[in-house]
Amino acid sequence: MTAQATLSTSSTPAPRAASPRTEALVASVLIGLAVGLFILRWHQQPPGIAVEQGESIELAKNIAAGNGPRLTAASTISAGPPNLVWLGVQTLLAWGGLSLEVWLPRIAALLTALGLVLVALRGAWVWHRPPRIEEPLPALGLALVTATAEAAALGSGAASFALFLALAAIVLGRGLGKGDGGRIGTLIGAMTLFRPSALWFLLAAAPAWAIAARLEGRKPLPEVARFLTFGLLVVALVFGSRFIFFGALPLEGFFPSDVGVERTLEFLGRQSRWFWAALTALLFAAVWRRFHLRGGGTLLAWVLAAVVLSCWTEFPRSLFLACAPLLAMLIAEGLAAARERAMSEPDDRVLSRLSWMGLLLTVMLLVLATKGSYELGLIMPAMGPRQEAPEVMDELKRRGLQQPLVAWTDPVEAAQLFPGARVVILKGPNRAIEDLLVSEGPPDLVDGRVVIETMPQLSATVTSGPGGARWLVEQSADDDPRCPDGRLALLSDTPDHLIASLEKDVADGLSQKALARWRCALSALTVDHLPTFEARRTLSAALTEKSKTLESQGSIEQAIRVGALASSLAGEPALARARIERLRAKWLEAP
């Protein structure tokens, strides 16, 4: 294909119904109307915060307080939420003393409104021409969708991902004609800041890029290689940074799973008319070959990827709402293609009439989709009031625990109930967490909703008690299973002597005794009676080296116990705790 042919194929004939200035003015009015209708719909939604934002908000509050990404100040570093950008927004709000319940919905509404503008202007920016009347229509329909307004009103982070996804689609469409794979690969790779599983969006865009390059007469392999190289470099940078700061990646929804299939099918059924409208528009866009030339293939690939990824995650609605602008862009592409085809062949009556019929059919399907989505009820659950458990709190106070070790099922509930505790999330039987709780505890409190009968070591240390929870079996004031020399002896100990006792225990090969002694100190002593952080950090560094030596010698269990003590002394650094948990998993999996 020659450059002349490529240029003629890429350029779009201008409709002759009205002057470009008039069309641009009408399109601007429609865009303003879409934004206004969305704000009205957003304002009509009941206030609240989405349930899926709860853990992220607790982490943001602790980051703002200087504790790092933890559920509580004494807990280990969390793996973090999928959306780091939204976590950053939440942290800034908390650091500034602003109400997250008030400002998160406002910011989500602003980002959603900007996304509507991008949907309406995509055709103009991709094709380097003034906006046209038909292109804001899908954005107008999207503004009336209840699910869109509901997600913004509940402060969902899907708004930030949706805006970035729409921006990436526009930049990709503009860059396809130039073959600028490096810059666009970098941008799309950065989507993993919003969700680690967005790596699949990068990979899904590669075949679409290859098809577009071939259709425009360029060699696809060098462009795709450059696109993937730059994109994967950014992904590696994001993943590496997450591992350094959080000690792990949130892999929920990253690999094939059927956890969200039922919810995804339910959501697809409720929004099926949007898909029918998009498929109809897609047909006209593909027939006129504009579909692949300016990123339409990537739009389709990303929509399909979003449907698949939604089936893999526990919260599919948030991910799927993020690609709603892509559906609207596909519909706008089809509307523009059908109209241009109808007006570019005035002498061919059959083709012209078919194109006009296609345009009207797509508009009708868009209207039906908007009507159906407008009438749908609310589906995204909101967080309830702050949890209260007076019986549990009274019992904790009676036992005089300074830093209790708590095993709980709900991270948000645990963070609200036990702000001074070390919280370990336990949703069900888990050998690794059982070993952690028993060796680094035993725990003072276990959620009564957890089935622990299949964890005999843990169940032997607790009994049912106030608040329906399971409590550490209470002995006398001095006889505490966490305290090797008794609780009263520790209360009269000095910080320096405590450090010396820990060093002696480890030197004598009694690492479990040292771990229990330190757990006893955290439970019984106030902060001003504990060793200074400098002294603890110095001992932690020595114990970390000791743990690595034991690991190299094959003494995995001893390496875990010494490493766990070192991690706790240093305030649970992310990488130190991640190393211990990897060792624990390796040890428990060994035959």
Side-chain angles (χ1 to χ4, degrees), residues 7-33:
L7 182 61
S8 63
T9 304
S10 303
S11 59
T12 59
R16 295 171 299 215
S19 68
R21 177 177 295 182
T22 302
E23 287 214 39
L25 179 61
V26 175
S28 299
V29 172
L30 291 176
I31 293 172
L33 180 61

Side-chain angles (χ1 to χ4, degrees), residues 158-177:
S160 61
F161 187 35
L163 178 64
F164 195 86
L165 202 58
L167 179 63
I170 291 175
V171 173
L172 185 140
R174 288 176 64 91
L176 275 175

Side-chain angles (χ1 to χ4, degrees), residues 279-300:
L279 288 173
T280 303
L282 186 62
L283 175 65
F284 294 104
V287 166
W288 206 47
R289 295 185 61 196
R290 291 182 51 194
F291 177 63
H292 292 302
L293 293 180
R294 287 295 182 265
T298 304
L299 293 178
L300 176 61

Side-chain angles (χ1 to χ4, degrees), residues 136-165:
L137 295 180
L140 198 60
L142 195 60
L144 295 171
V145 173
T146 298
T148 304
E150 178 194 24
L154 293 180
S156 173
S160 61
F161 187 35
L163 178 64
F164 195 86
L165 202 58

Side-chain angles (χ1 to χ4, degrees), residues 4-336:
Q4 178 84 21
T6 301
L7 182 61
S8 63
T9 304
S10 303
S11 59
T12 59
R16 295 171 299 215
S19 68
R21 177 177 295 182
T22 302
E23 287 214 39
L25 179 61
V26 175
S28 299
V29 172
L30 291 176
I31 293 172
L33 180 61
V35 172
L37 286 175
F38 164 72
I39 296 299
L40 178 62
R41 290 287 292 152
W42 169 78
H43 188 69
Q44 292 172 342
Q45 305 306 309
I49 294 293
V51 166
E52 63 193 62
Q53 298 294 311
E55 185 174 353
S56 179
I57 288 175
E58 296 300 331
L59 296 179
K61 290 177 179 178
N62 273 286
I63 294 174
N67 299 323
R70 311 168 190 265
L71 286 174
T72 65
S75 298
T76 59
I77 298 288
S78 168
N83 195 332
L84 289 184
V85 175
W86 204 238
L87 175 63
V89 171
Q90 294 168 339
T91 301
L92 288 174
L93 292 175
W95 180 75
L98 300 175
S99 170
L100 275 70
E101 290 75 12
V102 172
W103 283 97
L104 283 179
R106 292 178 180 178
I107 296 173
L110 174 62
L111 298 181
T112 304
L114 291 175
L116 293 175
V117 175
L118 291 183
V119 168
L121 295 178
R122 176 186 178 273
W125 286 343
V126 166
W127 295 94
H128 305 280
R129 54 161 172 74
R132 295 176 180 168
I133 295 175
E134 69 275 8
E135 290 173 333
L137 295 180
L140 198 60
L142 195 60
L144 295 171
V145 173
T146 298
T148 304
E150 178 194 24
L154 293 180
S156 173
S160 61
F161 187 35
L163 178 64
F164 195 86
L165 202 58
L167 179 63
I170 291 175
V171 173
L172 185 140
R174 288 176 64 91
L176 275 175
K178 305 173 184 177
D180 188 6
R183 180 170 58 90
I184 298 173
T186 299
L187 179 67
I188 297 178
M191 285 200 296
T192 50
L193 285 168
F194 298 85
R195 185 176 288 269
S197 58
L199 168 63
W200 298 111
F201 286 91
L202 174 71
L203 300 178
W209 186 291
I211 294 172
R214 185 172 295 279
L215 285 174
E216 295 204 8
R218 303 191 306 271
K219 294 181 179 180
L221 187 58
E223 290 188 16
V224 172
R226 183 177 174 85
F227 170 77
L228 287 177
T229 299
F230 278 78
L232 291 175
L233 282 174
V234 174
V235 170
L237 181 63
V238 172
F239 283 9
S241 300
R242 288 198 72 131
F243 190 78
I244 290 173
F245 290 109
F246 296 95
L249 288 174
L251 296 179
E252 192 272 332
F254 196 90
F255 296 109
S257 168
D258 59 358
V259 65
V261 170
E262 183 177 349
R263 293 183 182 181
T264 300
L265 292 177
E266 174 201 359
F267 192 82
L268 292 178
R270 293 166 67 97
Q271 305 291 349
S272 59
R273 294 178 181 178
W274 277 93
F275 282 89
W276 284 114
L279 288 173
T280 303
L282 186 62
L283 175 65
F284 294 104
V287 166
W288 206 47
R289 295 185 61 196
R290 291 182 51 194
F291 177 63
H292 292 302
L293 293 180
R294 287 295 182 265
T298 304
L299 293 178
L300 176 61
W302 283 355
V303 169
L304 295 177
V307 173
V308 173
L309 292 176
S310 295
C311 296
W312 298 354
T313 179
E314 188 178 354
F315 298 106
R317 296 186 184 103
S318 176
L319 174 60
F320 192 76
L321 281 171
C323 79
L326 302 181
L327 285 173
M329 288 178 177
L330 279 174
I331 296 173
E333 185 86 353
L335 290 174

Side-chain angles (χ1 to χ4, degrees), residues 307-376:
V307 173
V308 173
L309 292 176
S310 295
C311 296
W312 298 354
T313 179
E314 188 178 354
F315 298 106
R317 296 186 184 103
S318 176
L319 174 60
F320 192 76
L321 281 171
C323 79
L326 302 181
L327 285 173
M329 288 178 177
L330 279 174
I331 296 173
E333 185 86 353
L335 290 174
R339 182 184 175 209
E340 289 165 1
R341 191 65 172 175
M343 304 187 74
S344 63
E345 300 288 347
D347 297 331
D348 190 336
R349 289 190 173 185
V350 175
L351 182 58
S352 179
R353 287 176 180 175
L354 285 175
S355 298
W356 280 115
M357 288 175 62
L359 176 66
L360 293 175
L361 175 62
T362 305
V363 171
M364 182 183 70
L365 289 174
L366 174 61
V367 171
L368 291 175
T370 302
K371 180 178 181 293
S373 298
Y374 178 87
E375 294 172 349
L376 288 176

